[in-house]
Amino acid sequence: RLGLGLAERSPALSFGFCLNDGELTDIEIVPSWVCVQRATYDEVDWRMHEQPFAAINEMTSAYRARRLARGAARIDLPETSVRVVGDEVVIRPLPKLASRDMVTDAMLMAGEAAARFAEANAVPIPYVMQPTPDEVRQPSGMAEMYAYRRLFKPSRVTLEPAPHFGLGLDIYARATSPLRRYSDLVVHQQLRAHVLGRDKLNADELLERTAALDAAGATVRRAERLSNLHWKLVHLGRQADWQGDAVVVALEERKTVVILPELALETRIRRSPDHQLGQTIRLRVREVDVPAQNVYFRTL
């Protein structure tokens, strides 16, 4: 049973279901209370052999295998945490941990459970779908994953359930972040009203509240992306002698697209006839232009 609440001890909705060969069945949603004990991903990763983590990991691994068998995209491009602590910009690469995979799939299980329950009980909620790309691949390596991601079509909020290609799910709703995403809060409100026998928003009222979600979500993601880029450039600007590895992920007519895994930074450098997809090259900062959001490197 997964409990989704708004605070460390608060009223919550608990999502109960059975998992048979990675399929969710016998879904129920009930009001409850949750009491959260905080732990870092690193701490849990060391304890994956302990209970309850071992049992949870067994379930989420089976669920992940089902999604991948249905074509879910496994895009493992570098990610970083960017924080400003006092006057210092702290950039920390996010390692690929089993604990992160476990939490990701637990959240997806909750989202699918919410969507299936809402559909079965005719509860209007904002579903999320993603069309199938024009070409389906099974990428390996950073360059292939970068190219495949560019083929993806944007996900959309809809009042009618439809498959989400990237997640490998026939039906899905975002329901695990009611504090930071309005659509998740609406899902909670609708489901809670249903299980408590209260009035729910009808489809027209729901549409009025969620009509701008796609545009707002895109704006938020762009703001987050530009903020992270700004602080990465500030970080590089303070280290005139910075150098590091970059992986070639695309070859354009005059430029080579590279990703710096240490910073999860995508940039372009002058193309050389020697550049090949997947190649690792060493770069050094040449110039940083924070206002223009550009950084220029030289090859070592």
Side-chain angles (χ1 to χ4, degrees):
R1 186 181 294 276
L2 300 176
L4 302 180
L6 300 180
E8 292 186 355
R9 178 169 173 76
S10 69
L13 290 179
S14 282
F15 294 59
F17 46 79
C18 294
L19 196 68
N20 297 315
D21 295 326
E23 297 277 357
L24 302 187
T25 61
D26 301 324
I27 299 170
E28 64 171 350
I29 297 179
V30 297
S32 67
W33 284 78
V34 294
C35 184
V36 177
Q37 295 181 348
R38 294 182 178 272
T40 67
Y41 285 112
D42 290 330
E43 291 169 351
V44 173
D45 210 64
W46 281 100
R47 301 173 57 191
M48 292 290 282
H49 62 286
E50 301 177 6
Q51 297 297 348
F53 305 119
I56 297 173
N57 187 50
E58 183 178 357
M59 289 190 295
T60 55
S61 295
Y63 184 75
R64 187 181 316 119
R66 187 203 74 166
R67 293 194 303 105
L68 293 174
R70 294 186 175 184
R74 183 86 181 194
I75 306 295
D76 286 329
L77 294 175
E79 296 179 279
T80 56
S81 167
V82 181
R83 300 180 60 195
V84 180
V85 182
D87 293 331
E88 183 181 4
V89 181
V90 179
I91 301 176
R92 183 173 65 90
L94 297 179
K96 306 301 180 183
L97 300 176
S99 56
R100 288 186 179 277
D101 286 341
M102 180 180 70
V103 171
T104 295
D105 276 281
M107 294 171 70
L108 294 178
M109 290 166 69
E112 182 183 356
R116 291 195 180 280
F117 183 90
E119 182 187 36
N121 292 277
V123 180
I125 64 168
Y127 298 93
V128 182
M129 62 84 67
Q130 184 184 47
T132 302
D134 296 332
E135 181 181 348
V136 177
R137 304 177 184 175
Q138 291 295 335
S140 62
M142 198 178 300
E144 289 186 13
M145 291 180 184
Y146 176 84
Y148 191 37
R149 187 182 64 177
R150 293 173 65 87
L151 295 177
F152 280 13
K153 299 176 182 179
S155 60
R156 299 198 306 269
V157 175
T158 173
L159 297 187
E160 295 295 331
H164 192 296
F165 170 79
L167 299 179
L169 297 176
D170 293 331
I171 184 172
Y172 178 65
R174 297 188 180 113
T176 57
S177 300
L179 281 181
R180 69 182 181 90
R181 275 197 307 245
Y182 179 67
S183 62
D184 299 47
L185 180 61
V186 171
V187 170
H188 275 240
Q189 291 172 334
Q190 290 288 88
L191 294 177
R192 181 177 293 276
H194 175 78
V195 298
L196 294 178
R198 298 172 181 169
D199 291 338
K200 304 181 290 290
L201 299 175
N202 60 38
D204 290 338
E205 292 170 328
L206 189 65
L207 180 62
E208 183 179 351
R209 291 198 181 190
T210 61
L213 285 180
D214 285 335
T219 300
V220 170
R221 290 190 296 272
R222 182 174 184 274
E224 182 178 13
R225 184 173 64 253
L226 293 178
S227 175
N228 285 338
L229 175 59
H230 169 85
W231 291 112
K232 289 175 185 179
L233 296 186
V234 170
H235 173 75
L236 290 173
R238 294 175 178 177
Q239 303 185 50
D241 59 347
W242 186 95
Q243 57 181 276
D245 289 334
V247 178
V248 176
V249 295
L251 298 172
E252 300 177 345
E253 183 177 355
R254 297 183 179 180
K255 297 290 185 178
T256 293
V257 182
V258 298
I259 291 179
L260 285 67
E262 179 181 338
L263 302 175
L265 176 65
E266 176 187 333
T267 189
R268 285 165 171 75
I269 61 175
R270 181 178 298 175
R271 180 169 176 174
S272 165
D274 297 330
H275 290 166
Q276 299 179 7
L277 291 177
Q279 176 187 4
T280 299
I281 55 180
R282 193 75 175 172
L283 300 179
R284 171 180 288 173
V285 170
R286 177 166 60 88
E287 179 186 352
V288 178
D289 188 342
V290 175
Q293 295 190 312
N294 285 322
V295 57
Y296 304 95
F297 294 92
R298 63 166 58 93
T299 304
L300 298 178

